[in-house]
Amino acid sequence: MDKILVVDDNKNIRFTITEFLIDNGLTPVESPNGSIAVDIFKKEKPLLVLLDLKMPDMNGIQCMK
């Protein structure tokens, strides 16, 4: 099944998005920051990434690069 990577430093936002995806038959993978997201992206190769742009360790633009 195709995975969707959810990247946000706010755990409540990640939870809400993840629950929505699960309720709609999708497979979410969570990351609390951009650094971890890069590693997960390389390993899991998700179909889609939902990415917060404002995060403390690495912002969304840096993460996309």
Side-chain angles (χ1 to χ4, degrees):
M1 182 173 282
D2 292 323
K3 297 175 184 166
I4 298 175
L5 178 55
V6 180
V7 186
D8 200 304
D9 58 312
N10 183 312
K11 66 181 180 180
N12 294 324
I13 292 173
R14 279 196 326 271
F15 175 80
T16 301
I17 294 171
T18 297
E19 288 300 305
F20 174 81
L21 294 172
I22 291 169
D23 289 347
N24 286 280
L26 301 166
T27 304
V29 179
E30 293 184 50
S31 175
N33 63 50
S35 300
I36 294 172
V38 170
D39 292 335
I40 292 172
F41 183 84
K42 290 176 183 177
K43 180 182 174 191
E44 301 290 335
K45 300 189 184 350
L47 177 67
L48 178 71
V49 179
L50 301 176
L51 179 62
D52 183 11
L53 290 180
K54 291 186 178 182
M55 295 181 287
D57 77 317
M58 176 189 291
N59 69 40
I61 301 298
Q62 293 167 324
C63 185
M64 284 188 287
K65 289 180 181 179

